[in-house]
Amino acid sequence: MGERTEQVITLSLPSSMQHVYLLKAVVTEILKETDFDEDTQERINLAAIEAGTNAIEELGDREDPGKPIIFRLTLTGGELTISTVDESEESTHKESETEQVITLSLPSSMRHVYLLDVVVTEILKDSDFAEEIQEQINLAAIEAGTNAIKHGNKEDPSKKAIMQFLLDEDKFTIIIEDEGEGFTRKEVADPLDPENLLKSSGRGLFLMEACMDAVTYEADGTIIKMVKYKEAAVAQ
Amino acid sequence: MQVNVRNKGSITILDIEGKIIGPDALALKSIIDQQIQTLSSEAEHGENLNLILNMERVQMMDSTGLGILVATYTTIRRNDGRVVLLNLGGNIRSLIVMAKLMTIFDCYNTEAEAIGHFL
């Protein structure tokens, strides 16, 4: 697209080696937006794994094991810079000891929607969720991301869409926050209403709610929290 | 996402491959719109506006993609043409059922059946 604006994507991961593949998956997807040839993309990918492994080894043994490792990926024109960030923030608040928290912060451009697909697929691939359920969660994440980027932030790249993915033994939670003005759920038209059936938009929230077990709207609709339970997944 | 366009007589078949999500869904819309425009200008009263969307290799579709299917249906009907869906995978079919759009679309499992719809 020849876009020269700087795009900063941050990925916050728990300090465990298995999550280095999530960094690789994100880098692979971002590289698709660049002009690098395949060989160069492969080399960048290897370098990203190396950098991720080193960061986890070096930073993972700190006094505070709950503190996440934050990778900042900066894309300027055709240039990609990967760095680790020490924002010395407090430990991520965790609901339980087993919960793994992954945070992705994106500039509001619709092309980053593909990153959500990649991240959710990578997080869930070794989980107990059936493939069909993983697809539903993936779709809900894409819908929520689209909602935040397009309708919330109006595709303003200076505004961030922040997605938190929380994987626990019994459930998977996604929290999406945008910097928009929010909305009232009740005021959004029902796409199943016969008079709306032939409309070409307005099905995003409906699909999120159909795919997940619980969807709640907080802070005037600028925060959406979605949960899928494993037991419900088994029961289906 | 990739789209291959081919013709069988007066029927245009779009073989769609990949994920119809985000900007790719919009790219699909412009490909379909272009086809509709070309076919409408070639034929009077929609006699050649017969479209088959082959979804066999579609892995995933979001609400934008679903909206594009609906927009395709309404545009084609407005131009006196017809559109059918071919080879819906389980997840795409569930999505269409969920959105109560099964009554709107004619869906077929084989290309021969889909072509038969226009004969």
Side-chain angles (χ1 to χ4, degrees):
Chain A
M1 303 288 276
E3 201 172 319
R4 292 281 145 198
T5 18
E6 186 179 80
Q7 306 243 10
V8 181
I9 293 160
T10 57
L11 178 67
S12 164
L13 302 173
S15 330
S16 83
M17 206 56 89
Q18 73 192 79
H19 293 102
V20 79
Y21 292 102
L22 204 46
L23 173 68
K24 179 183 180 284
V26 169
V27 170
T28 304
E29 188 60 34
I30 292 173
L31 284 172
K32 289 181 187 168
E33 296 176 17
T34 66
D35 299 328
F36 293 119
D37 60 51
E38 247 176 67
D39 281 353
T40 312
Q41 290 196 19
E42 195 50 43
R43 283 205 299 277
I44 296 171
N45 247 324
L46 288 172
I49 295 184
E50 192 69 25
T53 307
N54 282 343
I56 289 168
E57 277 174 359
E58 279 175 28
L59 303 171
D61 293 333
R62 294 166 306 193
E63 294 163 12
D64 183 359
K67 192 173 164 181
I69 297 178
I70 302 166
F71 294 94
R72 176 180 289 154
L73 301 106
T74 310
L75 191 62
T76 318
E79 213 175 279
L80 176 68
T81 312
I82 304 170
S83 52
T84 50
V85 189
D86 191 358
E87 288 178 344
S88 62
E89 61 182 41
E90 288 176 18
S91 296
T92 312
H93 172 72
K94 288 166 68 166
E95 271 193 27
S96 72
E97 277 308 302
T98 50
E99 187 175 70
Q100 298 177 57
V101 183
I102 290 144
T103 309
L104 180 69
S105 166
L106 302 171
S108 295
S109 163
M110 277 303 287
R111 61 180 155 153
H112 296 316
V113 161
Y114 303 114
L115 275 175
L116 292 173
D117 177 29
V118 164
V119 168
V120 173
T121 303
E122 190 67 28
I123 295 173
L124 294 180
K125 76 174 185 195
D126 295 323
S127 73
D128 304 333
F129 286 107
E131 199 179 322
E132 188 191 331
I133 304 298
Q134 291 190 25
E135 284 172 3
Q136 289 176 5
I137 298 172
N138 216 337
L139 178 59
I142 288 169
E143 295 298 346
T146 302
N147 180 67
I149 291 170
K150 197 171 167 183
H151 303 296
N153 291 343
K154 314 274 184 221
E155 297 189 59
D156 175 351
S158 68
K159 290 184 174 172
K160 296 265 177 204
I162 300 167
M163 285 91 181
Q164 254 198 332
F165 305 95
L166 306 100
L167 183 63
D168 209 341
E169 285 175 332
D170 60 337
K171 64 180 185 288
F172 183 56
T173 307
I174 305 175
I175 302 168
I176 304 101
E177 186 173 356
D178 64 55
E179 297 182 61
E181 290 171 4
F183 67 100
T184 308
R185 177 66 185 99
K186 277 189 281 184
E187 289 173 9
V188 178
D190 177 6
L192 300 187
D193 192 313
E195 67 176 27
N196 297 327
L197 271 189
L198 290 181
K199 287 191 175 160
S200 60
S201 60
R203 294 180 179 84
L205 300 180
F206 160 73
L207 287 183
M208 278 158 48
E209 289 164 0
C211 289
M212 301 297 276
D213 292 325
V215 178
T216 48
Y217 303 88
E218 296 164 17
D220 296 327
T222 56
I223 299 175
I224 298 178
K225 187 176 173 184
M226 316 190 287
V227 187
K228 193 79 175 176
Y229 294 97
K230 283 190 183 166
E231 281 211 1
V234 171
Q236 280 182 17
Chain B
M1 187 207 60
Q2 286 185 318
V3 183
N4 176 49
V5 182
R6 58 195 166 96
N7 292 297
K8 281 214 167 168
S10 64
I11 300 160
T12 302
I13 303 170
L14 268 64
D15 300 304
I16 309 163
E17 185 172 353
K19 296 182 177 183
I20 312 178
I21 57 174
D24 275 347
L26 300 175
L28 175 63
K29 181 172 173 17
S30 63
I31 293 169
I32 292 174
D33 284 349
Q34 209 173 10
Q35 287 300 321
I36 294 174
Q37 205 176 3
T38 310
L39 295 170
S40 306
S41 63
E42 283 171 2
E44 278 182 30
H45 308 299
E47 65 190 45
N48 274 343
L49 192 48
N50 301 321
L51 204 63
I52 296 176
L53 301 180
N54 180 9
M55 313 281 282
E56 187 176 11
R57 289 169 189 260
V58 174
Q59 299 157 296
M60 187 183 191
M61 185 166 70
D62 66 3
S63 65
T64 312
L66 206 48
I68 281 152
L69 293 189
V70 174
T72 302
Y73 169 83
T74 52
T75 310
I76 286 191
R77 286 300 295 263
R78 210 170 37 240
N79 287 282
D80 297 321
R82 288 177 292 174
V83 58
V84 302
L85 304 179
L86 171 62
N87 287 323
L88 294 178
N91 54 347
I92 308 293
R93 183 177 288 272
S94 320
L95 200 63
I96 293 174
V97 169
M98 226 189 281
K100 290 194 175 171
L101 293 170
M102 224 42 193
T103 50
I104 286 166
F105 291 109
D106 290 301
C107 305
Y108 295 96
N109 293 324
T110 68
E111 192 169 305
E113 284 171 345
I115 289 172
H117 177 89
F118 300 102
L119 302 176

